[in-house]
Amino acid sequence: MKHHDDELLDLGRFSEPALYILISLADGPKHGYAMTEDIAQVTGTKLGPGTLYGAIARLEERKWIEPLPAEDRRRPYKLTIAGHRVLKHRLAGLQAVAKIGKARLADA
Amino acid sequence: MHKHIARLLIRLYPRQWRERYADEFAALLDDSGLSYRTAIDGARGAGGEWGRLISRRLFGERGAIASRAALVVLLAWAAAIVAYLFVRPGYPLAVIALEMFKGHVGRAFGGLLLVSDASFHEAMLVGVIGLNALCISGPIWALFHVSEPRGRWISVARGTWTVTVMVAALWLWDWRLALSIGVGAYVMSRALFPSQPSSQSAPAVHA
């Protein structure tokens, strides 16, 4: 049985952008441009349009995010329950790694 | 200028992707502005989408069947060549290839069908001709089925398969045999190159 955090890593080069998108949608639905701005603010990484929509398509395919009705041409996305669970597991995994890393730095 | 480049960028993506994401992608380009970096990222994204689509078609539910069939064909093709090399040792591949397209195959079709005087390697060559036809029409089907599931290119693949087999039969034997082989080949092509659109469509949008 696979862990949910492994599932996110299965996205290959899109795993990091996908994580950023899930984090961005964690506080409510956003459309593409709002996501890139939010991600740039939170992580300092500006996602290009191809990377953003590559990750969105993969997340949507896995039903971790879902589209809402379009507003003009902009379509917001929201996190699904499955997406919420995947994000939670991934963040817990990162937190555990960060904790070990910090502890080792403190010992050095 | 910006709109032209944005439109061109969107055109790089597969049709199924465009139907689903083109509007919002264009809106994102409008909002964020188009630089050479975003253009490169967009083009790279298009490459990724084509890769995803092709791999889904090749390794998805129906694609897996087609991939296995293609593998079987390739293996059979390789086996035929190896067997022929074994029967006629010392023949370089180029000569064998030339022979396959020249009169050497002679009575092979008739030999196979009438079980008369076809030798082992002649019978193998008949298989190679059929596999050659498949090797021509198979990639046409695989490449264009991805972008045109409605069937224009599938007709081309079927036609290529049928005509190749018919021409080979006509060349080797006579028109009646060619006609019957052509009909058989067309019937077979319907099984080999199905035109039913893939069930893997774009995700549904909540209204």
Side-chain angles (χ1 to χ4, degrees), chain B residues 82-126:
Chain B
V82 169
Y84 189 61
L85 279 172
F86 183 72
V87 173
R88 305 286 296 272
Y91 265 55
L93 261 179
V95 174
I96 293 166
L98 194 66
E99 283 190 4
M100 285 193 296
F101 293 98
K102 280 172 66 183
H104 180 81
V105 275
R107 300 171 304 274
F109 262 102
L112 188 77
L113 293 168
L114 305 173
V115 200
S116 57
D117 59 347
S119 67
F120 173 71
H121 75 265
E122 281 173 331
M124 288 303 256
L125 283 172
V126 175

Side-chain angles (χ1 to χ4, degrees), chain A residues 16 49 52 85 87 102:
Chain A
E16 199 175 323
L52 181 77
R85 200 167 51 227
L87 177 61
K102 276 183 187 171

Side-chain angles (χ1 to χ4, degrees), chain B residues 190-206:
Chain B
R190 294 190 70 86
L192 286 171
F193 310 114
S195 58
Q196 195 187 341
S198 170
S199 59
Q200 292 156 329
S201 54
V205 175
H206 293 244

Side-chain angles (χ1 to χ4, degrees), chain B residues 61-80:
Chain B
E61 290 167 32
R62 281 177 60 228
I65 298 167
S67 302
R68 271 180 227 136
L71 187 66
V72 168
V73 166
L74 279 174
L75 289 175
W77 208 94

Side-chain angles (χ1 to χ4, degrees), chain B:
Chain B
M1 185 65 184
H2 166 99
K3 287 220 180 293
H4 286 303
I5 295 171
R7 209 175 299 140
L8 187 72
L9 210 52
I10 290 167
R11 290 289 301 170
L12 293 177
Y13 282 81
R15 186 178 54 79
Q16 291 89 332
W17 186 95
R18 290 200 306 268
E19 283 173 0
R20 173 63 187 84
Y21 296 108
D23 280 351
E24 46 192 294
F25 189 79
L28 175 66
L29 292 177
D30 284 346
D31 290 340
S32 57
L34 193 63
S35 65
Y36 80 93
R37 288 183 78 170
T38 55
I40 289 170
D41 186 80
R44 192 177 171 212
E49 287 308 315
W50 275 107
R52 192 163 74 106
L53 187 63
I54 290 168
S55 86
R56 212 163 54 184
R57 288 289 165 88
L58 289 178
F59 306 111
E61 290 167 32
R62 281 177 60 228
I65 298 167
S67 302
R68 271 180 227 136
L71 187 66
V72 168
V73 166
L74 279 174
L75 289 175
W77 208 94
I81 294 283
V82 169
Y84 189 61
L85 279 172
F86 183 72
V87 173
R88 305 286 296 272
Y91 265 55
L93 261 179
V95 174
I96 293 166
L98 194 66
E99 283 190 4
M100 285 193 296
F101 293 98
K102 280 172 66 183
H104 180 81
V105 275
R107 300 171 304 274
F109 262 102
L112 188 77
L113 293 168
L114 305 173
V115 200
S116 57
D117 59 347
S119 67
F120 173 71
H121 75 265
E122 281 173 331
M124 288 303 256
L125 283 172
V126 175
V128 169
I129 287 175
L131 293 173
N132 267 319
L134 201 62
C135 287
I136 295 164
S137 45
I140 294 173
W141 174 79
L143 278 174
F144 294 103
H145 186 65
V146 167
S147 58
E148 292 289 342
R150 278 179 295 218
R152 181 156 36 115
W153 289 100
I154 287 149
S155 307
V156 175
R158 282 179 183 166
T160 313
W161 158 260
T162 307
V163 168
T164 312
V165 174
M166 271 182 83
V167 166
L170 191 62
W171 186 20
L172 297 170
W173 203 243
D174 65 24
W175 68 271
R176 282 157 299 196
L177 186 63
L179 193 66
S180 57
I181 285 176
V183 171
Y186 182 75
V187 171
M188 192 188 278
S189 75
R190 294 190 70 86
L192 286 171
F193 310 114
S195 58
Q196 195 187 341
S198 170
S199 59
Q200 292 156 329
S201 54
V205 175
H206 293 244

